DNA sequence: GAGTTTGAAACT
DNA sequence: CAGTTTCAAACTC
């Protein structure tokens, strides 16, 4: 069975912005429940990367709603440890972030394509969230969320879920949506076009998923069929592991749904697979399960499976979940529903409390997709970096209430003491801010901060400015010492304030107001008062905007493409993406699969230029027109003589320019060298005088002196020889004066005046 | 630098 | 989907 795609990451950089459809996973379900696919009608929301979360009983049933769809879990206990693995081949660092002890519910905003791993402590807040759009309130109990990254091409991703240990005597049916059964939620982020959960036996055989207590949420990017390599997400579960447990008995009952969406910016698809009937299988302590790399036979991954908790033989069973990212294995220990689930790789077993989780997807160049989810107690900030996209986001999430259920943050968790409480609107406050070009974000790693701030540091050198996530004009803490890329989480109980550090390129726009008020959810809704987008200079005509950048030092008039009008800007972006989901994607991308050459994503439509002028986007990009171009009279093809001639001329011109540049450089170098060699060696003992001392004034003065001497000789009727002698003598005097002046480091014409 | 040409994007 | 409009960059003089 082809369960692993060798290409995993090739499609990520340019396309990770999209959270597109995942394949519907055919599951044979005993209860007859078929996997449902949500209509692909969700409104695309710009600059957002969803992190969908499924629940056992809820999912985005109203995926068509353009409004906010909030999925709120009130009882879920989530804990995923940030893990980081490194691809041994490419060195790509893939960080699998986890959710840390999320005693808090989480909220998914379908409209803004944000997952708010946040606390919604009160039902009112939930209701408020519901009222905000088309919410989904999910009661989750004992739910486990696994956020994993699909970031490496050619590497299989295997989630191996052993049987969960259910409570003795607890019979669960497929319709029991409030099952206490622990469940896995697998959140994948990446351009997976396929998701194939399979059930793996203890003998490492991978079979079709029959019955799992598994929930899979995948933020998959539906890549163009032409270029998207099939990526298969494999979720395996050890079933009927005779060697592990004689009690293995599988009750393949799956009650699940698959929420699919194809829009790049749609809310995430949710695959919910529940297994009401749980077996009491436990893993043998220390048992190692080898996960076949399948298509990567050279890679053999052995996963250490955690042993069940001895103290909880039945009700608290430690269940291993092994996630293999190629050679990377993510081992997940699942406890009972009442216990937090901690997901950790074998490499990072003691990172169960991280102030910030990081989800890294992609990794072609090691600097691709990173999502920072600070979740220690108040997961208010998500930093997302989208590979290939020029957008990177710091997602500022404000909890509706300061939940008392929040666990104390980890040792590395800190807050901003100066963050004052602020007026918090009902519902989550979200904000996405492009923070850094994709090329500059190299790595995101949790980093302790010496100050009071919780920090996620991206290895950036750009200057940044901190912005409050919510209107907070009165707060101006001193963040000058914060490192770049800092994301500050609000202090528990100190108000719902999140801070994001933005790159220097946006700082200039913030200099007028030190802190820019970022729209809250309510404010964002209210900001819809912008009548028409046409009134805004935020349109496709502006290259800055089209490039996903703020305007800076351009000639815009009445420009709204700045942080001061972030709300309008976001709305404009949303409008553009609604109109064209590809609006902010690079026009020049890879060609079809197998084609190495670049090509225009849409093709040009030139009519008069013959595609041989810079009017043509293909020609401008120095690529030839392709079959998708709709140009008329195209001459921008391989054998075109006009093109060859033009290229020849262009090359010749370029050569000339290079030659001229080289000549100028050489001349400049020579002049500089000459100046260096003629640098005066001024010393009391003499030395070579610089000719620079013989200025024009000096020469003129000297000449005047000589002429004056000549006049004297003439007036006194001196013989010519005597006249010459007098002149030479005067010249000698002049030279002496020049030398004297040079010795004093003075160039004073007056000193040699006669 | 002003005016013209051009084609992409928006708009209808 | 096609035609029109708007716009800014490219180009020409």
């Amino acid at each position: 069975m082809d369960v692993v795609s060798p290409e995993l990451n090739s499609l990520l950089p340019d396309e990770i912005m999209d959270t597109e459809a995942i394949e519907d996973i055919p599951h044979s379900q005993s209860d007859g429940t078929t996997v449902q696919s949500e209509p692909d009608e969700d409104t695309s929301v710009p600059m957002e990367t969803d992190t969908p979360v499924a629940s056992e009983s809820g999912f985005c049933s109203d995926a068509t709603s353009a409004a906010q769809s909030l999925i709120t879990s009130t009882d879920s206990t989530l804990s995923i440890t940030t893990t980081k693995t490194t691809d041994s081949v490419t060195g790509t660092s893939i960080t699998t972030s986890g959710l840390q002890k999320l005693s808090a519910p989480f909220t998914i905003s379908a409209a803004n394509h944000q997952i708010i791993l946040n606390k919604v402590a009160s039902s009112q807040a939930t209701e408020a969230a519901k009222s905000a759009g088309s919410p989904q309130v999910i009661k989750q109990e004992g739910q486990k969320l696994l956020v994993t990254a699909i970031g490496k091409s050619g590497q299989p991703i295997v989630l191996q879920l052993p049987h969960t240990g259910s409570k003795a005597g607890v019979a669960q049916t497929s319709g029991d949506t409030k099952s206490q059964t622990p469940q896995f939620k697998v959140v994948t982020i990446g351009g997976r076009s396929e998701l194939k959960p399979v059930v793996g036996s203890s003998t490492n055989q991978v079979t079709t998923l029959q019955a799992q207590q598994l929930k899979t949420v995948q933020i998959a990017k539906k890549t163009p069929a032409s270029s998207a390599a099939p990526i298969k997400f494999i979720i395996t579960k050890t079933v009927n592991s005779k060697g592990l447990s004689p009690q293995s008995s599988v009750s393949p009952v799956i009650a699940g749904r698959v929420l699919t969406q194809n829009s790049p910016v749609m809310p995430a698809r949710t695959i919910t697979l529940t297994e009401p009937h749980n077996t009491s299988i436990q893993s043998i302590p220390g048992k190692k399960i080898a996960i076949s790399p399948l298509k990567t036979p050279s890679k053999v991954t052995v996963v250490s499976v955690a042993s069940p908790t001895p103290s909880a033989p039945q009700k608290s069973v430690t269940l291993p979940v092994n996630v293999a990212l190629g050679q990377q294995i993510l081992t997940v220990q699942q406890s009972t529903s009442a216990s937090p689930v901690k997901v950790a790789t074998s490499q990072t077993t003691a990172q169960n409390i991280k102030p910030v989780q990081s989800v890294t997807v992609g990794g072609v160049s090691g600097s691709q997709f990173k999502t920072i989810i600070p979740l220690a107690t108040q997961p208010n900030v998500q930093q997302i970096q989208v590979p290939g996209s020029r957008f990177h986001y710091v997602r500022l999430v404000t909890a509706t209430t300061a939940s008392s259920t929040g666990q104390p943050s980890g040792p590395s968790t800190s807050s901003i003491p100066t963050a004052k409480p602020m007026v918090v609107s009902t519902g989550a406050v979200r904000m996405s801010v492009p923070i850094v070009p994709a090329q500059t974000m190299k790595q995101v790693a949790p980093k302790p901060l010496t100050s009071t701030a919780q920090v996620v540091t991206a290895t950036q050198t750009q200057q940044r400015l901190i912005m409050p996530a919510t209107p907070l004009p009165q707060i101006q803490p001193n963040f000058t010492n914060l490192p770049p890329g800092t994301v500050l989480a609000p202090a528990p109980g100190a108000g719902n304030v999140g801070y994001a550090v933005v790159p220097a390129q946006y700082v200039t726009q913030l200099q007028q107001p030190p802190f820019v008020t970022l729209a809250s959810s309510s404010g964002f809704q209210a900001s819809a008062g912008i009548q028409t987008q046409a009134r805004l200079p935020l349109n496709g005509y502006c290259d800055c905007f089209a490039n996903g950048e703020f305007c800076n030092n351009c000639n815009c008039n009445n420009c709204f493409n700045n942080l001061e009008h972030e709300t309008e800007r976001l709305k404009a972006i949303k409008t553009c993406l609604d109109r064209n989901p590809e609006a902010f994607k690079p026009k020049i991308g890879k060609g079809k699969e197998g084609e190495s050459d670049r090509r225009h994503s849409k093709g040009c439509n030139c009519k008069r230029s013959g595609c041989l002028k810079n009017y043509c986007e293909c020609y401008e990009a120095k690529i030839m027109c392709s079959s998708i171009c709709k140009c008329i009279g195209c001459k921008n093809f391989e054998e075109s003589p006009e093109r060859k001639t033009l290229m020849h001329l262009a090359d010749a011109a370029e050569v000339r320019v290079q030659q001229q540049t080289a000549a100028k450089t050489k001349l400049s170098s020579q002049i500089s060298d000459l100046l260096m060699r003629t640098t005066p060696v001024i010393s009391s003992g003499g030395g070579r005088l610089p000719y620079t001392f013989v200025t024009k004034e000096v020469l003129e003065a000297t000449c005047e002196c000589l002429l004056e001497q000549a006049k004297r000789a003439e007036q006194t009727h001196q013989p010519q020889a005597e006249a010459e002698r007098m002149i030479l003598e005067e010249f000698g005097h002049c030279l002496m004066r020049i030398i004297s002046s040079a010795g004093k480091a003075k160039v004073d014409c007056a000193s040699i005046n006669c």
Side-chain angles (χ1 to χ4, degrees):
Chain A
M1 178 175 63
D2 185 9
V3 294
V4 176
S5 170
E7 282 114 3
L8 197 60
N9 240 4
S10 60
L11 48 85
L12 278 176
D14 293 339
E15 302 155 354
I16 196 63
M17 275 290 289
D18 299 340
T19 56
E20 297 182 357
I22 58 174
E23 291 185 355
D24 292 347
I25 302 170
H27 299 288
S28 62
Q29 297 175 347
S30 61
D31 59 353
T33 301
T34 59
V35 176
Q36 297 178 354
S37 176
E38 282 288 327
D40 186 9
E41 297 175 357
D42 262 343
T43 301
S44 299
V45 178
M47 299 171 58
E48 299 287 350
T49 300
D50 292 350
T51 305
V53 177
S55 67
E56 62 178 334
S57 62
F59 42 84
C60 291
S61 61
D62 188 13
T64 60
S65 174
Q68 291 182 347
S69 178
L70 301 177
I71 298 174
T72 303
S73 171
T74 57
D75 295 329
S76 64
T77 300
L78 305 175
S79 175
I80 297 177
T81 300
T82 299
T83 60
K84 182 177 182 180
T85 58
T86 301
D87 185 276
S88 61
V89 176
T90 63
T92 299
S93 175
I94 297 175
T95 301
T96 301
S97 76
L99 307 179
Q100 293 177 341
K101 281 204 169 192
L102 272 187
S103 299
F106 52 87
T107 303
I108 295 176
S109 171
N112 290 334
H113 296 266
Q114 295 172 343
I115 178 172
I116 302 170
L117 300 173
N118 207 345
K119 297 176 181 178
V120 181
S122 63
S123 60
Q124 291 81 1
T126 303
E127 293 300 322
K130 292 173 65 178
S131 63
S134 298
Q136 286 285 338
V137 178
I138 301 169
K139 297 293 185 181
Q140 296 182 352
E141 293 180 359
Q143 195 172 67
K144 281 76 181 177
L145 176 61
L146 171 61
V147 178
T148 183
I150 306 173
K152 192 56 193 169
S153 175
Q155 294 181 350
I157 294 176
V158 177
L159 294 180
Q160 189 162 4
L161 305 177
H163 282 288
T164 59
S166 63
K167 292 181 180 179
V170 175
Q172 296 176 346
T173 61
S174 61
D176 186 6
T177 58
K178 293 182 179 180
S179 171
Q180 295 294 327
T181 302
Q183 295 186 0
F184 290 107
K185 286 186 176 181
V186 180
V187 179
T188 62
I189 302 172
R192 295 313 184 107
S193 59
E194 297 181 22
L195 175 63
K196 291 186 177 180
V198 294
V199 174
S201 65
S202 62
T203 58
N204 301 328
Q205 293 177 348
V206 179
T207 60
T208 303
L209 178 63
Q210 295 295 328
Q212 291 189 18
Q213 185 178 357
L214 174 64
K215 293 181 179 180
T216 300
V217 180
Q218 182 177 14
I219 305 174
K221 168 170 176 53
K222 182 180 180 181
T223 58
S226 60
S227 61
I231 299 172
K232 296 166 184 178
F233 192 96
I234 303 164
I235 301 172
T236 62
K237 178 180 180 179
T238 57
V239 295
N240 191 20
S241 55
K242 297 177 181 179
L244 296 177
S245 174
Q247 299 176 353
S248 299
S249 63
V250 177
S251 298
V253 177
I254 299 174
R257 301 182 187 180
V258 176
L259 304 180
T260 62
Q261 60 186 37
N262 292 324
S263 175
V265 291
M266 286 181 178
R269 313 298 172 81
T270 301
I271 299 172
T272 302
L273 301 175
T274 61
E275 182 182 13
H277 298 286
N278 295 319
T279 61
S280 60
I281 184 172
Q282 291 102 29
S283 300
I284 293 175
K287 177 68 177 181
K288 293 183 182 297
I289 298 173
I291 298 175
S292 174
L294 300 174
K295 281 193 174 182
T296 56
S298 61
K299 300 175 182 178
V300 176
T301 303
V302 177
V303 181
S304 177
V305 178
S307 61
T309 304
S311 61
Q314 294 297 327
K315 294 182 179 181
S316 176
V317 178
T318 300
L319 298 174
V321 175
N322 298 326
V323 179
L325 296 174
Q327 293 178 331
Q328 302 163 2
I329 301 301
L330 174 62
T331 300
V332 179
Q333 288 184 339
Q334 178 177 357
S335 301
T336 59
S337 61
S339 299
V341 176
K342 298 177 181 179
V343 179
T345 63
S346 59
Q347 298 176 356
T348 58
T349 58
Q351 297 178 359
N352 55 352
I353 298 177
K354 288 279 187 178
V356 175
Q357 287 83 17
S358 177
V359 176
T360 301
V361 177
V364 172
S365 61
S367 62
Q368 298 303 323
F369 190 87
K370 297 178 178 65
T371 300
I372 307 304
I373 306 173
L375 296 173
T377 56
Q378 293 195 7
N380 295 35
V381 179
Q382 291 182 354
Q383 182 173 352
I384 298 174
Q385 182 176 1
V386 181
S389 172
R390 284 158 290 200
F391 293 106
H392 296 272
Y393 309 96
V394 171
R395 184 165 301 156
L396 306 178
V397 179
T398 300
T400 56
T401 59
S403 176
S404 60
T405 60
Q407 297 297 325
S409 61
S412 60
T413 300
S414 59
S415 61
I416 303 171
T418 58
K420 298 178 181 178
M422 53 187 296
V423 177
V424 179
S425 62
T426 59
V429 176
R430 295 179 298 277
M431 180 62 195
S432 294
V433 177
I435 57 172
V436 64
Q439 294 79 7
T440 59
M441 180 73 77
K442 295 180 180 179
Q443 185 177 2
V444 175
K447 182 179 180 180
L449 187 65
T450 56
S451 65
T452 58
Q454 179 179 355
V455 175
V456 175
T457 300
T459 57
Q460 299 178 355
T461 58
Q462 297 182 359
Q463 182 183 358
R464 289 169 179 81
L465 192 66
I466 297 173
M467 304 187 312
T470 53
L472 193 61
Q474 73 276 16
I475 297 177
Q476 295 185 4
N478 182 13
F479 298 120
T480 57
N481 294 327
L482 295 180
T486 300
V487 176
L488 302 178
N496 301 309
V497 180
Y499 291 90
V501 183
V502 299
Q505 63 190 86
Y506 307 126
V507 169
T508 56
Q509 304 176 19
L510 298 172
Q511 288 177 350
Q512 293 299 327
F515 289 90
V516 175
T517 298
L518 301 181
S520 62
S521 60
S522 60
F524 190 84
Q525 299 293 333
S527 66
I530 303 299
Q531 296 298 323
T532 59
Q533 197 57 49
R535 295 186 180 182
L536 299 174
L538 298 178
N539 51 49
Y541 303 132
C542 177
D543 277 352
C544 300
F545 180 74
N547 293 332
E549 300 169 352
F550 289 110
C551 287
N552 188 17
N553 296 328
C554 58
N555 297 324
C556 296
N557 293 325
N558 191 23
C559 182
F560 277 47
N561 187 26
N562 48 45
L563 285 175
E564 295 180 7
H565 303 86
E566 180 63 21
T567 301
E568 294 87 346
R569 183 177 182 269
L570 289 175
K571 186 172 181 61
I573 292 171
K574 180 180 183 303
T575 301
C576 289
L577 288 177
D578 287 342
R579 187 169 47 230
N580 179 19
E582 313 289 326
F584 295 96
K585 288 186 177 181
K587 294 178 181 178
I588 307 300
K590 285 185 177 180
K592 293 181 180 179
E593 193 171 7
E595 295 180 359
S596 59
D597 294 339
R598 300 180 305 147
R599 77 169 189 175
H600 199 285
S601 60
K602 294 174 60 180
C604 65
N605 297 296
C606 302
K607 295 177 178 64
R608 294 173 175 267
S609 65
C611 299
L612 290 181
K613 292 185 178 179
N614 282 336
Y615 297 128
C616 176
E617 291 190 349
C618 297
Y619 181 82
E620 187 180 25
K622 294 181 172 57
I623 59 177
M624 284 176 288
C625 292
S626 63
S627 58
I628 61 174
C629 293
K630 295 174 282 293
C631 45
I632 298 173
C634 180
K635 299 175 182 176
N636 185 24
F637 54 92
E638 182 69 38
E639 295 81 9
S640 172
E642 292 88 349
R643 175 183 167 276
K644 290 181 179 178
T645 302
L646 208 59
M647 290 299 176
H648 180 73
L649 294 175
D651 291 341
E654 185 177 0
V655 169
R656 283 197 300 272
V657 170
Q658 290 178 352
Q659 290 176 347
Q660 291 175 355
T661 303
K664 289 180 179 178
T665 303
K666 184 178 180 180
L667 180 62
S668 176
S669 176
Q670 290 176 344
I671 293 174
S672 177
D673 182 67
L674 181 62
L675 291 175
M676 290 297 294
R677 285 191 284 108
T678 57
T679 298
V681 182
I682 300 173
S683 62
S684 60
R688 191 168 55 184
L689 287 175
Y691 72 90
T692 52
F693 284 150
V694 187
T695 62
K696 181 181 178 181
E697 291 79 9
V698 172
L699 289 176
E700 290 178 351
T702 302
C703 291
E704 288 180 359
C705 292
L706 297 180
L707 289 175
E708 185 66 21
Q709 195 68 8
K711 288 181 180 178
R712 287 180 187 174
E714 186 178 7
Q715 290 174 357
T716 57
H717 303 285
Q718 297 293 332
Q720 183 176 356
E722 182 62 21
E724 291 177 355
R725 189 195 63 80
M726 292 173 62
I727 293 172
L728 289 175
E729 188 176 39
E730 180 61 23
F731 183 67
H733 292 162
C734 289
L735 286 179
M736 291 299 294
R737 291 184 180 183
I738 292 171
I739 292 170
S740 177
S741 298
K744 296 177 182 178
K746 288 184 178 180
V747 181
D748 187 0
C749 182
S751 65
I752 60 173
N753 283 338
C754 298

